[in-house]
Amino acid sequence: QTFIPEIRTSSADLTMFLKKPPNISFAFFLTHLSLCHGLQSPKRHSPYSTVDTERYSSLVKSAMSRVSSQTPLTILEEDDHIYGPVLKSPPPTTLTRGEVRTPKVLHPFLHPQEITEEEAETGGPPARIHLNRGQGRSAIPSVTRILQQTMSTEQMFYLERWKRRMVQELGEEGFKEYSQNLFKQGKTFHSVLEETLTSGVKWTDRDPFEMSQYPPEVCGYMKSVSHVLDDVREVHAIESTVQHNTLNYLGIVDCVARYRGVLCVIDWKTSEKPKPFLSNTYDNPIQVAAYAGALNTDANYKYQVENGLIVVAYKDGSPAHAHQLNFELMLDYWKTWLLRLEDYFEKRYKKCYKNVFINML
DNA sequence: GGATCCTTCTTCTTCTTC
């Protein structure tokens, strides 16, 4: 119907159309129908003598004339008609949204030049502020929860579809086990990484017997990130709670350290599939920007982070992909995060969200 | 001790041919 707008077929028509003998191509079918229409010398005793040729005559004529008259120019015109004018690459902030919105809050990231060395603490063990929910914090939403509850319908659709397929393949129980195993692997990897960063003992320098105590996947993940760890210095915080001082959200950062000389919020990820591009990491960059934005306003931390880093580790030990988010990218993702935050409060507090949001600023 | 919370993951078309 897109290519041949003057034809309107119902699904019943299409079903009938597809009941042609399987060894005969669609093009041949059309040609043959055209013969039946007397465009060329008619053929008797055809297997299609029962086909309602009158009914399909316009389709045949249209299809035949289009195919033969197609030139590069008409194809370009068709493309224009079907796909619309060519769009120049849109700015990253609008990628996940149909409409362009501007968040109301100023960004919490200082420009690299404005950060002086004195602001970053050096030495001492890394901070590890545990989450303590018992002190009136229960109303404060977390980064993960906000991201989960403000996913686009498209994102939810693909996740649901994936889940449905997996359940079909593995069964309800099998899928549950598979998911739990993925979580377990991720958790173990995080804890081993934590030990490594705290102790300062390189994974490769560890006692082979000790290494063999871990599941093979975890060894693979550690091998995978070893080249990234070589570029990590000055670990400032590990698994530490950060809370934004006005925007009323909290989260736990995996790691704050200097990566290639720049102070970063680092998020370690394990993945079954390769994620060579930042776009493969879905909402991870937003998560990192949210943590960094919170940390930079949190009085518990006396320094400012500049960049973010997402490290995707693989269990087969192949080199991890390290996606560094520079100042500009952090700013873009921070804006996206603010929109998600607005969405969350809007959903949660319905009409009075605006007052809630304004009160927080 | 039990309940709750934050995380840990999962997505982007799909098939054929070389």
Side-chain angles (χ1 to χ4, degrees):
Chain A
Q1 284 182 2
T2 311
F3 284 92
I4 314 167
E6 60 270 34
I7 304 296
R8 294 284 178 270
T9 51
S10 68
S11 57
D13 289 333
L14 286 170
T15 313
M16 187 178 158
F17 216 75
L18 291 169
K19 279 182 181 167
K20 65 186 175 53
N23 58 333
I24 293 175
S25 73
F26 182 71
F28 183 82
F29 184 42
L30 288 178
T31 316
H32 198 81
L33 277 183
S34 75
L35 293 177
C36 295
H37 277 276
L39 296 178
Q40 287 171 44
S41 60
K43 220 174 190 174
R44 310 276 174 226
H45 314 296
S46 95
Y48 304 113
S49 53
T50 55
V51 171
D52 184 354
T53 50
E54 200 56 52
R55 188 171 188 174
Y56 299 112
S57 64
S58 62
L59 171 63
V60 171
K61 280 175 192 162
S62 166
M64 298 296 285
S65 64
R66 279 227 167 206
V67 170
S68 59
S69 67
Q70 222 172 24
T71 67
L73 202 67
T74 60
I75 291 173
L76 284 179
E77 276 170 13
E78 277 178 16
D79 281 354
D80 228 29
H81 178 70
I82 296 160
Y83 301 112
V86 176
L87 291 175
K88 294 209 169 150
S89 49
T93 41
T94 61
L95 275 178
T96 52
R97 311 200 139 259
E99 53 176 325
V100 182
R101 289 162 62 196
T102 323
K104 304 172 185 77
V105 195
L106 287 174
H107 69 83
F109 304 110
L110 298 173
H111 213 270
Q113 287 86 355
E114 295 165 30
I115 292 176
T116 57
E117 278 302 311
E118 292 85 48
E119 283 176 62
E121 274 181 349
T122 48
R128 195 188 299 247
I129 301 169
H130 289 283
L131 178 64
N132 189 352
R133 279 283 190 178
Q135 297 165 357
R137 282 173 139 182
S138 56
I140 304 174
S142 72
V143 172
T144 313
R145 186 200 284 196
I146 294 165
L147 286 177
Q148 223 159 32
Q149 296 195 4
T150 57
M151 271 197 302
S152 66
T153 46
E154 197 192 10
Q155 219 175 344
M156 284 198 291
F157 166 78
Y158 286 121
L159 281 171
E160 276 304 311
R161 188 179 67 162
W162 170 81
K163 194 180 160 187
R164 209 171 52 237
R165 284 177 179 174
M166 291 300 279
V167 169
Q168 272 175 2
E169 196 182 317
L170 306 170
E172 202 71 59
E173 276 304 305
F175 176 70
K176 205 174 155 189
E177 203 177 302
Y178 166 80
S179 308
Q180 279 172 349
N181 189 41
L182 279 188
F183 285 156
K184 201 174 138 196
Q185 276 182 26
K187 281 178 180 173
T188 318
F189 169 58
H190 272 78
S191 63
V192 174
L193 203 50
E194 206 176 296
E195 278 171 37
T196 307
L197 289 168
T198 315
S199 66
V201 181
K202 281 180 79 172
W203 173 256
T204 44
D205 294 342
R206 283 205 183 187
D207 177 18
F209 175 74
E210 193 192 341
M211 281 158 72
S212 68
Q213 300 298 301
Y214 291 103
E217 295 89 14
V218 173
C219 299
Y221 289 132
M222 288 308 290
K223 187 186 167 201
S224 181
V225 295
S226 60
H227 74 284
V228 181
L229 292 180
D230 289 342
D231 287 332
V232 172
R233 303 270 181 281
E234 290 177 36
V235 182
H236 288 261
I238 285 178
E239 292 281 323
S240 200
T241 306
V242 292
Q243 186 174 337
H244 198 284
N245 65 0
T246 52
L247 291 177
N248 221 34
Y249 71 88
L250 57 75
I252 297 173
V253 288
D254 272 355
C255 180
V256 178
R258 210 167 272 282
Y259 174 74
R260 296 186 174 168
V262 188
L263 206 56
C264 291
V265 163
I266 305 176
D267 212 44
W268 311 101
K269 301 283 178 196
T270 58
S271 178
E272 301 272 284
K273 280 188 190 173
K275 291 180 174 152
F277 304 110
L278 185 61
S279 59
N280 300 134
T281 63
Y282 301 96
D283 284 347
N284 293 169
I286 308 175
Q287 188 188 10
V288 167
Y291 290 150
L295 189 146
N296 284 356
T297 70
D298 192 323
N300 289 315
Y301 303 89
K302 308 289 181 207
Y303 47 83
Q304 300 271 302
V305 289
E306 301 161 64
N307 287 10
L309 183 71
I310 297 163
V311 183
V312 188
Y314 305 110
K315 65 177 166 196
D316 65 357
S318 58
H321 285 112
H323 301 294
Q324 191 161 12
L325 306 171
N326 62 19
F327 174 77
E328 282 76 20
L329 277 174
M330 288 292 268
L331 204 54
D332 272 340
Y333 286 110
W334 173 251
K335 287 177 189 168
T336 313
W337 164 246
L338 289 179
L339 297 176
R340 300 281 287 264
L341 201 59
E342 272 186 31
D343 278 353
Y344 178 81
F345 285 115
E346 190 180 345
K347 269 185 196 162
R348 178 122 193 201
Y349 300 106
K350 304 286 179 215
K351 281 177 185 168
C352 56
Y353 94 97
K354 270 187 180 149
N355 294 332
V356 174
F357 212 74
I358 288 163
N359 286 340
M360 288 190 305
L361 299 182

